[in-house]
Amino acid sequence: LQQSQPLPTAGPSPGPAEPPQDTSQDSAAIPEDEWIRTGAQYTAMQRLSMTMLGQGPLLNHLAIIMDGNRRFARCHGLQKSQGHLRGFQKVGEVLEWCRDLGINEVTVYAFSIENFNRSAEEVAGLLRLARQKFDRLLQELDRLRAYGVCVRVLGNLQLLPADLRAAAARVMQATSSHSKARLNVCFAYTSRDDMAHAVSLAGQAVRSGLLLPDDVTPRLLDRCARTYLSPGPPDLLIRTSGETRLSDFLLWQTQFTCVHFVNAMWPDFSVWHLMWAVFNYQRNYATMQSGLAALAAEEADDDDETQSDPQRHQRLQAFDKFVHDQEDAELRRYLAAET
Amino acid sequence: MHVSTYFSLRPSSMLWYLLMILARLRDDMVSFIRLFIFRFPFSYFWEKSNNLVLYIHNATRDLTKIPKHISFIVMEDDVDVAALSEAIVWCIVLGISCISIADKQGLLSRHRHQLDRLVTSRLYELNLPAKAVVCQPLTDTVSSDTSGDVAISVVLLSPATGRQLLATAAVALATADATTESSSANSTMEIENHQEEIGYQGVSVEQLDNKLRELSGLTDADLAFRIGPTDSLFLPSPWHFRLTEFYQVSSQKALRPEVFVAGLRFYSRVDQRLGK
């Protein structure tokens, strides 16, 4: 059953129904290499399931730990690099499914700081692949603009080689004004590093007098974590390859998140896996919401004080600007260092 | 033949509710069958209280690794103090030194004395050497300095206390004496509103880890039993659950020694590559 019309999406559609003119410079790239794809073909059962999922609570933010590329390669007799390539290709496919399911924000765990412990050859191969993919992302800027996708690269970028840092900075700056959908690529990221970074920023602000020590609350740390621009924490976290741990990914942000473990390897992840995960999120929605409400009630003092104390409000505004300026300065440094 | 992509809303809603009911039935049936299969062959062995210790020791004799810190994360709305106290006893029988329990509403701290009483009386019943067991909320361990005196400490966590712990550590590190900081700082920050040069290099992961350990006495959780609806989870502490293996248990009533042992077996089989 061939169908070229777009699906009815549950929430506000992240972009126009028709794909924009493809002015991609690299016409020799195969469709599997694209980040932003169109024209996915769904079976009737899949379309029915997607429409059915639209009846339940909507999913806003999805986080994915894309594990199992090397085991996939081993099972299929491929090289490890082939496994990683297939993993990257799967990302484009899944982003399209997310768009069709109305998921506006996706955070993926592409490369952990712990992965630097792998063999030098594998790390070099992964960084080379990443450079190609970031360049490819820059070539698809018009599609990113059309769909309003803001791409952020989260992580300790100082650990990456200069050219990769500059490519990441370029992507972030080029898409910073987009606001319909968000794609966060966690590269050279661990959650502990994220939390240490947030604590450092808060510490700098306190030592310089920008903030009082009483201002440092969990809500403030939300405002200086690497995900500070995200409208909300992850609603659903999926980990592939059957492992049942979080491996230092978004630990601060996953306070009440539906955590779904899938046995399939990442390149074998299918739209059915995704839909079953979303369905499990919908089943747990009431539980999660009551927990979030209890947490918000306990931390509500923070907001109450901000409302009643205009000086504190000003301090927090100044701190937000400080965090933003820090990141801008860092990105400018990376871009300048390359030239 | 052309198939319409737009299905009317009503059948889809009904199908969604039907699927919710079927999924719930499936989960209930699976947990019932598991309980039945587990219970019947072992019912003779552990119904008698003094054989519980034997059962746990025999069942875990061949395990290659035992967790040092076990956490129980309760995702149900109410707290079954009896079931949780029993779970604490199993951990003590096994020799686990660090136990934490978390519930999503933060109700456990109200039941701390009841937990103490139930655990102590059960240990007495099992003829185990009397150990000092203290169940205390994380806020108490943060403010007290005498955590070293207690033989077994059970820490009670709630969603807010874990986050507050990090904020407390952030303030403590920020207000620490500047002379104790690393002297190899070569990055100075000029902040717009303030002209002073600051030799503050920020906080490293190791520094933050040490400060949190100093404040809370908690080590990283190795194994966490998440008790409640499938896939629902909250992290009791953002720092200590980095490499924790999660084992799903359907409800607090389903917490039985054989389920506990199944979780331990699962943990000992896992191979953590740590990024490699």
Side-chain angles (χ1 to χ4, degrees):
Chain A
L1 293 157
Q2 301 294 312
Q3 185 55 252
S4 60
Q5 287 171 11
L7 287 165
T9 52
S13 173
E18 292 300 314
Q21 279 290 86
D22 187 1
T23 55
S24 159
Q25 294 157 12
D26 187 358
S27 54
I30 54 176
E32 283 79 26
D33 283 338
E34 293 172 351
W35 283 83
I36 309 292
R37 301 188 200 181
T38 51
Q41 308 288 346
Y42 299 103
T43 64
M45 274 303 291
Q46 286 166 349
R47 286 201 300 277
L48 169 62
S49 306
M50 283 180 157
T51 314
M52 206 170 60
L53 283 180
Q55 308 310 312
L58 297 183
L59 185 59
N60 291 315
H61 186 170
L62 170 67
I64 310 177
I65 302 180
M66 311 181 296
D67 198 11
N69 294 331
R70 292 180 299 174
R71 275 169 279 171
F72 173 85
R74 211 168 32 235
C75 279
H76 289 74
L78 301 168
Q79 295 287 325
K80 278 187 205 168
S81 54
Q82 283 288 310
H84 290 303
L85 183 63
R86 295 278 268 267
F88 258 111
Q89 288 171 350
K90 178 58 72 173
V91 174
E93 218 178 322
V94 171
L95 289 178
E96 190 178 3
W97 299 337
C98 291
R99 199 172 73 231
D100 290 333
L101 280 169
I103 301 171
N104 291 329
E105 183 166 8
V106 179
T107 303
V108 296
Y109 200 9
F111 191 85
S112 163
I113 295 178
E114 309 268 321
N115 293 151
F116 280 115
N117 296 331
R118 294 184 182 179
S119 67
E121 188 194 330
E122 191 178 345
V123 171
L126 277 167
L127 295 179
R128 210 170 26 242
L129 181 61
R131 178 65 207 269
Q132 286 169 11
K133 294 305 168 191
F134 282 139
D135 287 343
R136 176 73 213 173
L137 200 54
L138 283 166
Q139 285 165 7
E140 292 183 28
L141 263 180
D142 49 357
R143 279 193 216 170
L144 290 171
R145 198 175 302 120
Y147 285 107
V149 183
C150 173
V151 181
R152 282 174 56 75
V153 182
L154 310 180
N156 195 344
L157 300 182
Q158 287 170 17
L159 300 172
L160 297 174
D163 59 343
L164 197 47
R165 281 204 297 255
R170 208 168 287 125
V171 164
M172 285 172 72
Q173 283 201 339
T175 58
S176 59
S177 58
H178 303 167
S179 58
K180 289 186 193 148
R182 311 187 73 90
L183 169 62
N184 303 312
V185 181
C186 289
F187 213 86
Y189 178 92
T190 56
S191 187
R192 285 200 169 177
D193 177 83
D194 186 2
M195 288 190 269
H197 174 76
V199 163
S200 299
L201 283 174
Q204 281 168 10
V206 167
R207 289 171 94 93
S208 70
L210 195 62
L211 287 177
L212 297 176
D214 282 346
D215 292 336
V216 181
T217 59
R219 289 277 170 97
L220 184 98
L221 291 177
D222 283 336
R223 292 157 97 127
C224 52
R226 296 204 193 271
T227 53
Y228 70 101
L229 290 177
S230 291
D235 298 310
L236 171 63
L237 191 150
I238 296 176
R239 178 168 187 156
T240 53
S241 85
E243 305 288 355
T244 54
R245 53 185 177 274
L246 296 177
S247 291
D248 224 342
F249 181 56
L250 296 184
L251 300 174
W252 175 258
Q253 291 84 352
T254 57
Q255 278 310 299
F256 276 93
T257 301
C258 189
V259 177
H260 184 75
F261 297 115
V262 175
N263 285 330
M265 301 297 146
W266 173 243
D268 286 329
F269 188 70
S270 77
V271 68
W272 289 114
H273 289 124
L274 179 61
M275 290 199 283
W276 181 244
V278 173
F279 183 69
N280 273 323
Y281 158 77
Q282 293 180 335
R283 289 173 65 196
N284 289 319
Y285 183 74
T287 310
M288 295 290 129
Q289 289 303 113
S290 74
L292 277 168
L295 179 63
E298 266 196 81
E299 291 182 352
D301 301 336
D302 191 1
D303 282 345
D304 285 345
E305 282 171 26
T306 313
Q307 311 255 329
S308 60
D309 184 355
Q311 282 177 342
R312 184 183 158 132
H313 185 69
Q314 271 175 4
R315 285 198 300 270
L316 293 180
Q317 298 276 60
F319 179 68
D320 286 341
K321 184 170 185 307
F322 165 62
V323 170
H324 213 101
D325 290 346
Q326 285 286 298
E327 191 181 79
D328 276 346
E330 193 186 337
L331 295 180
R332 274 199 303 273
R333 257 200 327 270
Y334 296 150
L335 284 173
E338 201 203 16
T339 52
Chain B
M1 192 166 79
H2 188 74
V3 176
S4 164
T5 51
Y6 297 94
F7 295 92
S8 58
L9 275 175
R10 283 184 86 154
S12 303
S13 299
M14 281 165 43
L15 275 172
W16 186 80
Y17 283 114
L18 182 64
L19 197 56
M20 290 278 272
I21 293 168
L22 286 175
R24 177 66 195 265
L25 276 176
R26 172 199 171 261
D27 277 354
D28 287 347
M29 266 178 46
V30 165
S31 62
F32 175 76
I33 289 170
R34 270 201 191 133
L35 277 177
F36 182 73
I37 289 173
F38 277 135
R39 193 190 162 93
F40 185 69
F42 295 110
S43 62
Y44 175 75
F45 290 109
W46 61 264
E47 282 293 349
K48 297 181 192 304
S49 60
N50 58 0
N51 274 320
L52 172 67
V53 178
L54 258 178
Y55 170 72
I56 289 182
H57 284 308
N58 286 341
T60 56
R61 203 171 26 204
D62 56 337
L63 296 182
T64 48
K65 53 178 181 162
I66 303 277
K68 296 190 194 58
H69 174 178
I70 293 187
S71 186
F72 296 91
I73 304 174
V74 179
M75 291 304 300
E76 297 178 303
D77 285 330
D78 49 358
V79 164
D80 184 347
V81 182
L84 292 174
S85 64
E86 196 57 25
I88 296 172
V89 167
W90 303 332
C91 294
I92 294 174
V93 164
L94 200 55
I96 310 286
S97 53
C98 187
I99 305 163
S100 61
I101 315 187
D103 79 302
K104 70 172 195 196
Q105 308 277 12
L107 302 171
L108 274 170
S109 48
R110 292 182 216 170
H111 300 286
R112 52 187 291 193
H113 299 298
Q114 200 183 350
L115 270 173
D116 276 343
R117 242 189 356 260
L118 285 169
V119 170
T120 315
S121 64
R122 188 77 168 113
L123 286 176
Y124 179 73
E125 226 179 275
L126 290 172
N127 295 323
L128 286 171
K131 296 179 187 181
V133 178
V134 173
C135 301
Q136 51 187 351
L138 186 64
T139 41
D140 283 12
T141 60
V142 171
S143 51
S144 76
D145 296 322
T146 55
S147 54
D149 295 353
V150 176
I152 295 162
S153 165
V154 179
V155 183
L156 307 175
L157 298 162
S158 75
T161 50
R163 280 162 62 89
Q164 184 56 46
L165 178 69
L166 203 75
T168 309
V171 174
L173 286 166
T175 51
D177 191 358
T179 54
T180 62
E181 299 277 301
S182 159
S183 59
S184 60
N186 57 6
S187 64
T188 53
M189 305 305 306
E190 275 184 324
I191 309 217
E192 271 181 334
N193 302 334
H194 304 270
Q195 296 304 307
E196 55 192 335
E197 295 268 313
I198 303 165
Y200 181 66
Q201 221 185 356
V203 166
S204 69
V205 171
E206 287 76 25
Q207 279 177 300
L208 191 48
D209 192 29
N210 290 336
K211 178 53 76 175
L212 286 166
R213 202 177 294 266
E214 184 192 309
L215 283 176
S216 69
L218 273 180
T219 53
D220 288 355
D222 299 307
L223 173 62
F225 288 89
R226 49 172 176 169
I227 304 162
T230 316
D231 290 349
S232 60
L233 183 69
F234 80 91
L235 284 184
S237 159
W239 192 261
H240 298 96
F241 286 78
R242 182 174 77 106
L243 292 173
T244 313
E245 298 291 336
F246 290 99
Y247 189 77
Q248 181 82 49
V249 181
S250 54
S251 68
Q252 289 169 95
K253 291 197 174 18
L255 260 187
R256 311 191 83 92
E258 50 270 16
V259 173
F260 179 68
V261 164
L264 290 169
R265 288 193 170 287
F266 160 76
Y267 173 76
S268 89
R269 279 197 311 263
V270 160
D271 169 33
Q272 291 194 345
R273 295 175 303 280
L274 299 173
K276 293 203 188 57

